[in-house]
Amino acid sequence: MSIIRKLLIQGIRSFDPQNQDIIEFYAPLTIIVGQNGCGKTTIIESLKYITTGELPPNSKGGAFIHDPKLVGESEVKAQVKLRFYNVSQRSMTCVRSMLLTQKKATVTQKTLEGALSFDSTPTEDKVSISSRCADLDAMLPEQLGVSKAVLENVIFCHQEESNWPLAEASVLKKRFDEIFAATRYTKALESIKTIRKTQAVDIRVQRTELSHLEEKKGKAERVRIELQKTNVSVESYTSRINNALSQEATVTAQIEALTEQLQEYMSLRTVVEGLQMSLEQKAASFKELEANTAILDVATEELQRMHSEITQKIASQDSDAQGRRDECDSLKAKLAEAQNNMYGILSEIGHLQGAQASLEEKMLNRLAVINEFCEKHNITIDVSIDAEKRAIECTTRLVGMITGADKERETIRHQAESEEKKLQLEVDGVQQKIYSFNGTAEMSDAQHGSNTAEIAQVQAKHDSLLVDAAEISMV
């Protein structure tokens, strides 16, 4: 509990500006008695001024300071000094000074620098605080343990303002709110409500953004899955194209081999036909020779000689004929073999033609697949080029699209991760602020309870003082 010890007054109203009047207060009660106009009210006004910094009513224009005309001076310096024990029972001193200047037609009042000091103790040195670097009006009530409203309206209430309980309802409510610190509590509640409302709006906005980001993340996942499917489809089409190209090369090689065999067969067939024509010519010549042969009447020796010559000639011709027959048999065998080869070649040609037709159908299907893929993915390819170059160009552009899609997917993924981290930090910050606001509200409730209890104690002390004053009046 704080205790007022001494009050020094100089140059205030009727107090002499040349002398310092000191009033000492005693516990538990100090009664001030005096004639009218001797300065009893000035003491209360000085106490109110030194503790709150508020001048008494109707004191503008220097009415609160001693009149310079009465002392024949142009300036009067007024000072109020208060020595008291604060709530920690440490001795403190507060000094407030004013200056009143009398000019020809006007009077100017000026507040000088004030000071609040902690008196020295055996363990601590003296500490002074100037009004230039601190708000004495806020520090004094805090050191006294009493609010400024209680000091103004209850403890040091001026007699001209003592009828404030009979004022209008709005004025009365305002005074009571100031006394019981309800305004600060109400403002704190309004501030908490406003902050909660703002934070709720921010949370809704952040949740909306989070839902949008989740939607974008899902879209990115769907794009990634579709890209994977597209990659698999492209690999399948590429494999099919490579297989078709290899089959085309194989079939082309087989067609070239069969064409060479067919040419060889045609040359052998021409040789066989020539040999048959030669054989037929020789047979016709032999028959003609046999038909033209006549019986000659010659001697036996001549016949024998001719017989032997003819026999030799026949043997030679038989030998030639046998050779020709052997050659003909060989040619027939070769002809049969060539025919068999021709039939095999014709069969192989049929197979190859079927394979060529299948390959052409596959190439048409490949071209249709390429056109469908290009139309689906908005790829423009020159239709004047052949199918192979078109497939290569489509594959090249597809690889470029896949690369771009991979880069875009990585970019979207990095952005989504960054946004997710940022939103998480903001959500954590919002939650921290909510926890802080809840803690502030709890502290405000606790402070309100403490203020209520303190007001009750002050009211009890006030009632006790009124009772003591009544008893003293009766005595």
Side-chain angles (χ1 to χ4, degrees):
M1 183 179 69
S2 58
I3 300 174
I4 295 176
R5 297 169 55 197
K6 293 180 180 182
L7 177 67
L8 183 148
I9 302 174
Q10 180 180 3
I12 301 296
R13 293 196 187 278
S14 61
F15 285 87
D16 188 3
Q18 304 298 330
N19 298 319
Q20 295 180 348
D21 296 310
I22 300 175
I23 302 170
E24 186 173 357
F25 299 93
Y26 299 94
L29 183 65
T30 299
I31 299 175
I32 301 174
V33 181
Q35 297 178 357
N36 293 337
C38 66
K40 300 186 299 297
T41 305
T42 304
I43 296 174
I44 303 300
E45 292 174 348
S46 299
L47 287 171
K48 179 180 179 180
Y49 172 69
I50 192 67
T51 55
T52 65
E54 296 292 333
L55 294 173
N58 302 322
S59 61
K60 294 182 179 180
F64 186 56
I65 304 175
H66 194 85
D67 192 354
K69 296 178 181 179
L70 297 178
V71 293
E73 299 287 343
S74 60
E75 290 183 350
V76 172
K77 183 178 180 181
Q79 186 182 75
V80 180
K81 181 185 293 187
L82 177 67
R83 180 167 292 179
F84 62 96
Y85 289 113
N86 63 1
V87 291
S88 301
Q89 297 301 310
R90 182 171 180 179
S91 178
M92 299 184 66
T93 302
C94 181
V95 180
R96 292 181 187 266
S97 301
M98 294 178 290
L99 179 65
L100 184 64
T101 303
Q102 177 68 50
K103 297 182 180 180
K104 291 183 179 180
T106 59
V107 177
T108 304
Q109 179 178 330
K110 181 180 179 181
T111 302
L112 303 179
E113 181 181 358
L116 177 64
S117 62
F118 293 84
D119 297 338
S120 61
T121 62
T123 59
E124 296 179 357
D125 296 333
K126 182 178 181 179
V127 179
S128 296
I129 301 174
S130 173
S131 59
R132 294 183 179 180
C133 59
D135 186 5
L136 300 184
D137 296 344
M139 292 186 64
L140 257 296
E142 182 180 353
Q143 295 296 327
L144 292 172
V146 183
S147 66
K148 184 177 180 180
V150 174
L151 292 172
E152 290 181 358
N153 301 313
V154 179
I155 299 177
F156 301 132
C157 181
H158 197 275
Q159 61 184 3
E160 295 182 4
E161 295 179 345
S162 60
N163 61 344
W164 63 265
L166 303 177
E168 297 179 358
S170 60
V171 178
L172 184 62
K173 181 181 181 302
K174 182 179 179 181
R175 291 289 180 91
F176 275 118
D177 289 343
E178 292 176 353
I179 292 172
F180 294 106
T183 304
R184 183 175 61 181
Y185 182 71
T186 304
K187 289 182 179 179
L189 290 178
E190 291 178 355
S191 177
I192 291 171
K193 290 179 180 179
T194 303
I195 293 172
R196 283 184 177 178
K197 185 177 180 180
T198 304
Q199 294 299 325
V201 173
D202 292 340
I203 290 172
R204 286 197 296 269
V205 172
Q206 296 298 332
R207 286 178 178 174
T208 303
E209 293 181 357
L210 182 60
S211 64
H212 290 326
L213 289 175
E214 289 177 351
E215 182 179 354
K216 290 182 180 179
K217 183 179 180 181
K219 185 177 180 181
E221 290 294 331
R222 291 193 296 271
V223 170
R224 183 179 61 80
I225 294 172
E226 184 177 357
L227 180 61
Q228 290 178 355
K229 292 181 180 178
T230 305
N231 292 335
V232 174
S233 178
V234 169
E235 291 176 357
S236 176
Y237 288 141
T238 305
S239 176
R240 289 171 59 184
I241 291 170
N242 294 330
N243 291 333
L245 292 175
S246 63
Q247 291 178 4
E248 182 182 4
T250 304
V251 171
T252 303
Q254 291 177 357
I255 290 173
E256 291 177 355
L258 290 174
T259 303
E260 293 177 358
Q261 291 180 4
L262 181 61
Q263 291 177 356
E264 185 179 358
Y265 166 74
M266 294 302 293
S267 64
L268 290 174
R269 186 175 180 179
T270 302
V271 173
V272 170
E273 289 177 354
L275 291 174
Q276 285 180 350
M277 290 176 64
S278 176
L279 181 61
E280 289 176 355
Q281 288 177 0
K282 288 183 179 181
S285 297
F286 179 75
K287 287 180 181 180
E288 184 180 359
L289 180 62
E290 187 178 4
N292 293 328
T293 302
I295 300 173
L296 299 176
D297 188 10
V298 293
T300 302
E301 292 83 2
E302 185 66 24
L303 287 173
Q304 289 178 350
R305 186 185 59 78
M306 292 176 64
H307 180 267
S308 61
E309 291 178 359
I310 291 171
T311 301
Q312 291 177 359
K313 189 176 181 178
I314 289 172
S316 176
Q317 290 181 351
D318 288 339
S319 176
D320 292 338
Q322 186 64 37
R324 295 298 178 91
R325 282 194 295 270
D326 293 339
E327 186 178 357
C328 182
D329 293 336
S330 175
L331 292 174
K332 287 181 180 180
K334 289 183 178 180
L335 178 62
E337 184 180 359
Q339 287 178 349
N340 291 330
N341 290 333
M342 182 183 69
Y343 295 146
I345 289 171
L346 292 175
S347 177
E348 187 68 23
I349 289 173
H351 287 299
L352 291 176
Q353 288 177 349
Q356 184 177 6
S358 176
L359 177 61
E360 291 177 354
E361 183 179 359
K362 289 181 179 179
M363 292 179 69
L364 291 175
N365 291 333
R366 181 187 69 174
L367 183 59
V369 169
I370 291 173
N371 292 332
E372 181 182 357
F373 182 80
C374 292
E375 183 178 357
K376 180 178 179 181
H377 295 281
N378 296 324
I379 299 175
T380 304
I381 298 178
D382 188 6
V383 297
S384 62
I385 61 177
D386 57 2
E388 185 63 27
K389 293 182 179 179
R390 196 181 302 179
I392 293 173
E393 184 175 356
C394 180
T395 304
T396 303
R397 294 194 181 184
L398 181 59
V399 170
M401 289 176 62
I402 292 172
T403 304
D406 288 336
K407 292 181 179 179
E408 184 177 0
R409 176 174 60 84
E410 290 296 325
T411 302
I412 293 173
R413 183 175 66 81
H414 289 307
Q415 290 179 355
E417 291 178 356
S418 177
E419 291 292 333
E420 185 176 1
K421 291 180 180 178
K422 182 178 179 182
L423 289 174
Q424 186 63 39
L425 291 175
E426 292 181 359
V427 169
D428 294 339
V430 169
Q431 291 179 351
Q432 186 66 29
K433 288 182 179 179
I434 291 173
Y435 295 152
S436 177
F437 292 147
N438 291 334
T440 304
E442 292 177 358
M443 291 177 62
S444 298
D445 292 338
Q447 184 65 31
H448 179 263
S450 176
N451 292 336
T452 304
E454 188 175 354
I455 289 170
Q457 292 178 2
V458 171
Q459 186 65 35
K461 291 180 180 180
H462 181 263
D463 295 340
S464 176
L465 290 174
L466 290 177
V467 172
D468 293 341
E471 292 178 355
I472 292 171
S473 300
M474 292 176 63
V475 174

